[in-house]
Amino acid sequence: MSPAEPAPAEGDARQPGRIVVVGSLNADLTIYCDRLPLPGETVHGNGFAVNPGGKSANQAVAASLLGGNVSLVGAVGDDPNGAMLLSSAARAGVDVGHVRTSYEPTGVAVIAVDSNGENNIIISAGANGTLSPADVAEASDVLAEAAVVCLCLEVGIETVLAAAQAGHDAGATVLLNLSPYAHIPAALAGLTDVLLVNAHEASLFLGPGASVPGADARAAQWDAVRERFAERGIRQVLVTLGSNGSVVLDSLASPGRLVTFVEPTKVAAVDTTGAGDAFTGAVAERLAAGDALADAAAFASVAAALATTRKGTQAAYPEMADVQRTLRS
């Protein structure tokens, strides 16, 4: 058993800490095509599907399927897409008692996926845009019990900030997925315990003149990046590198683990949509279970890779047994 592999679920009496995911639920309108269109170009599609999605809903489902005790705070419309999203999350074991029905229609994402599994995405907030600090206050019962509060930027910054503050006050680990990228106030950065970014987002966050090294860079080069984040008050960072794995920058770790490279799990990708959310949800699940950040990232690398081997997002997410089987192979 590798260091990142959790104990087998059989006979495991561990009660995982609660994960509270605050944010977005979207209906994914996905068209499959041989290649993505260029600007101004029309291409023929070869398939269409409507699936449950949204970064926060995806992360909640991913964490729950892996055994997490998950509550979702969000908003949907009073429409078939909203019903689909609630049903999918509940079927995965997510507590949806704090997902409010809004006067706005359910948010949507229009997604094109090419034959290599790559995608581009446009989102329309809909009901997600109505989620407010008042909804965070209404969810105080679950937030007070949180071990991890999982956030992204598909809802308003003031709502994200309120949720981060509630998580901090509860003593939870605040995990912020800085996506879609936006400038965040210093107060939110100060409340963030673990920041999850891709390389481009990392360079934007660190500001003008900041350079983020490539996947083949030496540990010393990444250590300089770690120090830059620490200067901004963020001491634990996960930088995802797509098919090249990820890098853990952990200023709270022992000297030998300040920078940890996580190798990618090689699979035949079919659809990469939502893989980042699978990674985030898996990290949240492992942190709630007490894993160190580097171990959580290694586990999440496997979960995210497996999620790309089937079409769709939530329907493609693996369960704990799937990840354990891959870790043992």
Side-chain angles (χ1 to χ4, degrees):
M1 183 178 295
S2 73
E5 184 177 353
E10 293 82 9
D12 184 0
R14 171 182 62 83
Q15 294 297 316
R18 184 183 294 274
I19 301 162
V20 181
V21 186
V22 181
S24 58
L25 300 91
N26 288 326
D28 286 349
L29 313 182
T30 304
I31 296 179
Y32 297 93
C33 50
D34 289 335
R35 63 178 180 84
L36 300 176
L38 299 172
E41 182 185 23
T42 299
V43 300
H44 288 283
N46 51 35
F48 174 75
V50 179
N51 291 309
K55 292 189 72 64
S56 299
N58 289 346
Q59 291 164 12
V61 166
S64 186
L65 289 173
L66 293 168
N69 174 18
V70 185
S71 294
L72 178 61
V73 180
V76 295
D78 184 14
D79 51 37
N81 285 337
M84 171 189 67
L85 284 158
L86 289 172
S87 176
S88 177
R91 191 166 56 248
V94 176
D95 163 32
V96 295
H98 289 288
V99 179
R100 173 175 54 80
T101 301
S102 169
Y103 56 87
E104 291 282 352
T106 300
V108 297
V110 178
I111 306 169
V113 180
D114 71 12
S115 58
N116 295 314
E118 297 298 328
N119 63 70
N120 58 32
I121 304 173
I122 302 173
I123 60 173
S124 177
N128 296 314
T130 72
L131 196 69
S132 73
D135 294 297
V136 174
E138 286 290 327
S140 60
D141 56 336
V142 292
L143 283 162
E145 301 175 351
V148 175
V149 174
C150 191
L151 306 169
C152 73
L153 300 185
E154 284 190 343
V155 296
I157 284 289
E158 68 282 355
T159 304
V160 177
L161 181 58
Q165 185 66 63
H168 176 79
D169 292 346
T173 296
V174 176
L175 170 61
L176 174 61
N177 179 203
L178 198 57
S179 178
Y181 182 82
H183 173 75
I184 61 172
L188 179 54
L191 292 167
T192 298
D193 295 299
V194 178
L195 185 69
L196 200 160
V197 288
N198 62 30
H200 179 63
E201 292 159 352
S203 64
L204 290 174
F205 179 83
L206 292 175
S211 61
V212 176
D216 58 350
R218 300 187 309 275
Q221 294 172 277
W222 280 104
D223 196 54
V225 177
R226 178 191 61 77
E227 291 177 348
R228 290 284 301 273
F229 276 108
E231 290 168 1
R232 295 284 301 272
I234 301 195
R235 295 181 291 175
Q236 292 189 298
V237 184
L238 280 170
V239 183
T240 58
L241 303 172
S243 60
N244 292 311
S246 60
V247 181
V248 181
L249 309 176
D250 191 349
S251 296
L252 300 180
S254 59
R257 299 196 82 185
L258 295 175
V259 176
T260 302
F261 296 98
V262 178
E263 293 296 323
T265 301
K266 299 298 185 182
V267 295
V270 173
D271 185 353
T272 60
T273 310
D277 298 331
F279 184 92
T280 305
V283 167
E285 190 279 328
R286 286 288 85 205
L287 291 178
D291 279 12
L293 184 60
D295 294 334
F299 176 88
S301 177
V302 178
L306 292 176
T308 70
T309 61
R310 289 184 288 180
K311 289 185 176 181
T313 51
Q314 295 175 20
Y317 289 167
E319 297 184 2
M320 179 63 82
D322 302 316
V323 179
Q324 289 178 329
R325 190 178 306 113
T326 301
L327 285 166
R328 287 193 292 264
S329 63

